[in-house]
Amino acid sequence: MATCRLTLLYAAAVVFSLYPLPAASRLSPNFYDDACPRALPTIRFVVFAAIAREPRIGASLLRLHFHDCFVNGCDASVLLDDTETFVGEKTAGPNNNSLRGFDVVDEIKTAVNFACLGNMVSCADILAVAARDSVVALGGQEYEVQLGRRDSRTASLDDANKEIPAPFFDLPALVSSFDSHGLSIRDLVVLSAAHTLGFARCTVFRDRLYNETIDPDLARYLQLQCPSTGGGGDIPAPLDRTPATFDTSYFEGLRQNRGLLHSDQQLFAGEGGEAAALVRYYGERVEVFGVDFGDAMIRLGSIAPLTGDDGEIRENCRFVN
């Protein structure tokens, strides 16, 4: 056993010496090509397998990346567990009992560390690649992920509570939130369409269901599952008609006043303005939407990354080294 362990350590040392990680401070799609060419195929294999077991996990992995990047940049801070001396972001209002997929990230990290014979791929990059692979696995278009992020050693519960757009935001608040992160109104509309995947809990859409104008057939159906008072808060409902397929039915739903979340329907409120025009535009152009979604995801993934000598590459995504 000892001989086997020494052999593995020696092999890892050889790999590190032959293929040192790039020291560049800019993100690049080729960051791991020499250091660990098996990194991205390994991530894709684990993501595809997880989605085959449970299609909902694709939306969860996509959401993890978004919630990470909106809080002090794409640095995997959202993955840090609380400890006796540290409070992370998992218990923030937008995340608590809502974010999922942490176990899949753990599975990816273990597989990638094995494939690379060492701790070479950051958890922040894993989130970015897993988000892309989730989109592809569920029918969306391929796009090239920029790589080279490093992981933070800190997280902020307060910032997570403040920075992540809420499902009750009106359009001006959404535009302001995205603008503060360097994202345009086009990015807002395109990235909101990630809600073509997944589900939301009754507690998140209950107010819209009983206090706003919504498609009557959808309202009657959802009211049976999500009462105005009492229990049912955790009962999920699909965000659009095809919650396991990456398509443009999200935009169709907004045009029919079937947006499940207040913040989603706000994109088509009054049927006027730039956001509403973009909803109509993308709803009629599937391929254009796919390309623009990929471009917007690249911009999202480029929000304040740690690179070069900043941060670290965590051995375990839940804890600092």
Side-chain angles (χ1 to χ4, degrees), residues 119-139:
N119 182 34
M120 306 177 84
V121 181
S122 70
C123 301
D125 278 350
I126 285 173
L127 287 180
V129 176
R132 188 273 310 278
D133 290 348
S134 295
V135 169
V136 173
L138 294 170

Side-chain angles (χ1 to χ4, degrees), residues 8-77:
L8 181 58
L9 289 172
Y10 175 76
V14 170
V15 170
F16 277 116
S17 64
L18 289 176
Y19 302 112
L21 282 173
S25 59
R26 294 184 179 180
L27 301 182
S28 163
N30 311 117
F31 190 81
Y32 297 107
D33 282 5
D34 292 332
C36 184
R38 295 178 60 193
L40 269 62
T42 299
I43 296 172
R44 174 158 293 193
F45 177 84
V46 178
V47 169
F48 276 36
I51 291 174
R53 295 193 303 266
E54 183 194 358
R56 278 185 65 189
I57 206 66
S60 300
L61 293 171
L62 185 55
R63 191 161 175 250
L64 272 177
H65 181 49
F66 182 91
H67 281 224
D68 179 44
C69 291
F70 255 61
V71 184
N72 299 319
C74 307
D75 59 7
S77 58

Side-chain angles (χ1 to χ4, degrees), residues 11-237:
V14 170
V15 170
F16 277 116
S17 64
L18 289 176
Y19 302 112
L21 282 173
S25 59
R26 294 184 179 180
L27 301 182
S28 163
N30 311 117
F31 190 81
Y32 297 107
D33 282 5
D34 292 332
C36 184
R38 295 178 60 193
L40 269 62
T42 299
I43 296 172
R44 174 158 293 193
F45 177 84
V46 178
V47 169
F48 276 36
I51 291 174
R53 295 193 303 266
E54 183 194 358
R56 278 185 65 189
I57 206 66
S60 300
L61 293 171
L62 185 55
R63 191 161 175 250
L64 272 177
H65 181 49
F66 182 91
H67 281 224
D68 179 44
C69 291
F70 255 61
V71 184
N72 299 319
C74 307
D75 59 7
S77 58
V78 72
L79 300 178
L80 289 172
D81 280 352
D82 294 351
T83 68
E84 292 182 357
T85 59
F86 174 83
V87 178
E89 298 167 11
K90 290 183 176 179
T91 55
N95 299 336
N96 193 32
N97 297 319
S98 177
L99 286 187
R100 305 168 65 247
F102 298 108
D103 54 338
V104 177
V105 175
D106 293 340
E107 186 181 352
I108 294 170
K109 181 63 174 174
T110 298
V112 170
N113 283 0
F114 180 81
C116 297
L117 297 179
N119 182 34
M120 306 177 84
V121 181
S122 70
C123 301
D125 278 350
I126 285 173
L127 287 180
V129 176
R132 188 273 310 278
D133 290 348
S134 295
V135 169
V136 173
L138 294 170
Q141 292 188 34
E142 190 84 53
Y143 61 91
E144 197 169 54
V145 179
Q146 300 293 308
L147 301 165
R149 302 168 190 81
R150 289 168 65 85
D151 302 323
S152 69
R153 299 186 180 94
T154 61
S156 175
L157 180 70
D158 289 341
D159 288 342
N161 279 320
K162 291 187 297 185
E163 296 297 327
I164 298 171
F168 54 79
F169 271 11
D170 291 333
L171 182 58
L174 291 168
V175 172
S176 176
S177 175
F178 273 66
D179 181 68
S180 70
H181 292 83
L183 299 172
S184 68
I185 191 168
R186 183 179 293 269
D187 293 324
L188 164 63
V189 173
V190 170
L191 292 174
S192 293
H195 284 171
T196 189
L197 300 176
F199 293 72
R201 295 180 299 152
C202 165
T203 187
V204 176
F205 61 82
R206 179 182 275 140
D207 284 347
R208 168 157 166 72
L209 194 57
Y210 291 96
N211 297 307
E212 300 179 26
T213 302
I214 187 171
D215 176 76
D217 292 337
L218 179 63
R220 282 191 293 270
Y221 171 74
L222 292 176
Q223 286 168 0
L224 295 174
Q225 305 171 62
C226 182
S228 59
T229 59
D234 288 332
I235 293 176

